[in-house]
Amino acid sequence: MSAPLWLEKPAMQALLHKLVNRLDDEVLKGKPSTHAFKLDSKSWPTFFAAEFETEREILWSHLAWLAQQGWFEIKLTKSTSPEADYERKPRLLNLHIERLREATGRLERIVSATELWREAVRNKLHASDDIKQQVARSLIEISDRSADEIVERLNMLPALANAPLLLRQVSAELFWTKSKILDKRQELVAIILGLEECPFPLMPVQLQVFLPKQGYDSVLFIENQTTFEQAIREADGRFSGLAIIFAAGFKGSAKRLRLRSGSSLYFSVEGDLSSAATGKFAAWLYKDGGDNNLSSWFWGDLDYAGMGILQTLKNSFIALEAWQPGYAPMLEALRNGGGHSPENIQKKVERTGCQYADNILIPALHTISKFVDQEIA
């Protein structure tokens, strides 16, 4: 049977396209296909805004004919007074997908890039269902590459997790030399690797370093900038004999700190800027034949985040320990009720590899469940 000419009327085509859109949306969102479509001024404005009643009656007769031919069923509410069928809150049920698609020229539903990505993640990513759900929300598109190909490259990411690479180096390694694919996708990288933070920086870590003019035999890493500034002004007191480092924006693996390509050094003008002093420090940091017997310490907030930094730094500075002159007064304040409640949720740290932290500081955090900011000491 050939389609009637009135099927090409703008009012009819508008309705038929709305019906196809509804079917496509149900598939896209994974909803049960109820195929129930409410007819009202919003879903079919041309009909309900018609100026003349005869126009509405003609359009309704077309709709009734389609129902008779099996395109859909028309469901009406019961009526106790004389009124037109289209005034009885009509709904269309059991939509005939093939006929609707043929009438609109939309023979196949266009599969979106988002759908292709979700399917590729579901079928190709080597990860738990929970991780897949999170990754599926972060669409990656690369011209001339399928979603399956991109996900397969993401499966190579764990093999690079401990490499001292910048984020753009990782991106170029994974995605056919394209270095910017992972920009602003650090959270996605962390999710795939099962880490709290992305271990790959966009840029080298910037290390601010103070070298005392009287020389030093130890190195102290300080977490907070305010305390770093205070320390370099007290270089003759409890910080005597210490080279002091503030790792600005320190994130993830500390392994890159000991590579020239992974960190940049900025020496304070308050300290020794001689080439001998700065060269000695660089040789130690980058293990270029310097004095590798220097003691190293870490001092930060007395909280789980600070303990996490200590734990991470020990991966590259094996002998590094928590700095007791800094932590002792903080521990005393904690035990005397001077701590504060956590401002945000922090993942508990059980062990760092430092005896003082593991046997004294962390048990106190577990018991008292409060934190102390470094600036108090």
Side-chain angles (χ1 to χ4, degrees):
M1 180 186 298
S2 59
L5 294 178
W6 49 257
L7 203 59
E8 298 299 324
K9 287 184 177 180
M12 295 304 300
Q13 281 293 308
L15 174 61
L16 298 179
H17 276 283
K18 277 283 186 70
L19 296 177
V20 175
N21 290 342
R22 167 65 64 83
L23 296 171
D24 286 350
D25 286 344
E26 288 175 349
V27 174
L28 179 61
K29 296 176 181 178
K31 293 182 177 180
S33 188
T34 58
H35 295 180
F37 187 87
K38 181 180 179 181
L39 284 180
D40 54 22
S41 59
K42 183 178 181 181
S43 62
W44 200 12
T46 305
F47 175 85
F48 286 92
E51 183 176 358
F52 301 105
E53 192 72 16
T54 54
E55 184 178 354
R56 274 196 291 270
E57 291 176 351
I58 292 173
L59 289 175
W60 186 259
S61 68
H62 297 336
L63 206 67
W65 185 88
L66 293 175
Q68 291 174 357
Q69 301 304 312
W71 288 50
F72 41 71
E73 298 176 16
I74 300 177
K75 180 75 172 181
L76 306 174
T77 59
K78 292 183 179 180
S79 176
T80 57
S81 60
E83 55 185 345
D85 286 348
Y86 48 78
E87 295 177 330
R88 295 169 55 188
K89 299 181 179 179
R91 289 185 300 151
L92 306 184
L93 307 177
N94 300 320
L95 308 182
H96 195 294
I97 299 174
E98 289 76 14
R99 290 181 181 176
L100 290 170
R101 287 197 179 282
E102 184 177 356
T104 56
R106 296 163 61 178
L107 301 182
E108 292 184 2
R109 184 176 67 85
I110 299 176
V111 180
S112 69
T114 299
E115 289 179 89
L116 293 173
W117 174 252
R118 290 173 179 169
E119 182 178 359
V121 170
R122 183 172 60 252
N123 296 330
K124 299 293 184 179
L125 187 65
H126 302 159
S128 66
D129 289 342
D130 180 59
I131 290 177
K132 287 181 179 181
Q133 289 179 8
Q134 296 179 73
V135 174
R137 294 194 288 265
S138 300
L139 170 65
I140 298 179
E141 291 185 281
I142 301 176
S143 59
D144 301 324
R145 298 291 179 176
S146 69
D148 283 356
E149 290 178 291
I150 297 171
V151 172
E152 290 287 8
R153 304 301 287 189
L154 286 178
N155 286 328
M156 300 168 59
L157 188 57
L160 303 176
N162 294 318
L165 298 172
L166 300 178
L167 187 64
R168 288 190 174 181
Q169 291 175 309
V170 173
S171 178
E173 180 77 17
L174 294 179
F175 302 116
W176 305 281
T177 74
K178 293 181 178 292
S179 64
K180 299 179 182 179
I181 299 300
L182 294 178
D183 284 8
K184 299 182 180 180
R185 290 192 169 100
Q186 289 93 330
E187 183 179 358
L188 172 65
V189 172
I191 289 170
I192 293 175
L193 295 178
L195 301 174
E196 290 188 358
E197 296 175 336
C198 173
F200 311 111
L202 273 174
M203 297 294 292
V205 177
Q206 295 183 348
L207 298 176
Q208 298 182 39
V209 182
F210 169 80
L211 302 177
K213 295 178 180 179
Q214 70 274 23
Y216 61 92
D217 55 17
S218 299
V219 177
L220 173 64
F221 288 88
I222 288 182
E223 179 182 359
N224 298 304
Q225 189 168 24
T226 299
T227 307
F228 171 78
E229 292 293 339
Q230 174 191 347
I232 66 177
R233 286 163 174 76
E234 295 181 20
D236 294 332
R238 58 177 170 164
F239 300 99
S240 178
L242 290 171
I244 305 172
I245 304 174
F246 169 58
F250 173 77
K251 298 284 185 183
S253 172
K255 292 183 178 180
R256 64 184 181 274
L257 295 182
R258 309 209 76 168
L259 295 175
R260 291 185 180 276
S261 61
S263 62
S264 299
L265 296 175
Y266 297 88
F267 294 97
S268 169
V269 296
E270 302 295 329
D272 189 348
L273 295 178
S274 68
S275 57
T278 57
K280 173 187 174 182
F281 181 87
W284 167 79
L285 180 65
Y286 299 129
K287 298 179 286 188
D288 292 340
D291 185 357
N292 289 318
N293 294 319
L294 291 175
S295 300
S296 54
W297 311 94
F298 171 75
W299 180 32
D301 292 334
L302 184 51
D303 59 11
Y304 293 122
M307 294 296 100
I309 296 175
L310 169 62
Q311 180 186 47
T312 303
L313 281 171
K314 280 185 70 65
N315 291 330
S316 288
F317 303 89
I318 305 301
L320 181 135
E321 300 287 328
W323 193 55
Q324 294 190 35
Y327 279 112
M330 299 169 70
L331 179 62
E332 182 179 0
L334 180 66
R335 288 171 170 169
N336 291 333
H340 64 82
S341 299
E343 296 177 357
N344 48 54
I345 298 176
Q346 294 186 10
K347 182 180 179 181
K348 281 190 176 183
V349 175
E350 300 296 339
R351 296 192 62 80
T352 66
C354 165
Q355 289 190 7
Y356 177 61
D358 295 349
N359 297 331
I360 305 296
L361 300 180
I362 292 177
L365 290 174
H366 288 352
T367 301
I368 302 174
S369 298
K370 289 190 176 181
F371 299 154
V372 177
D373 293 343
Q374 181 180 30
E375 288 81 359
I376 196 175

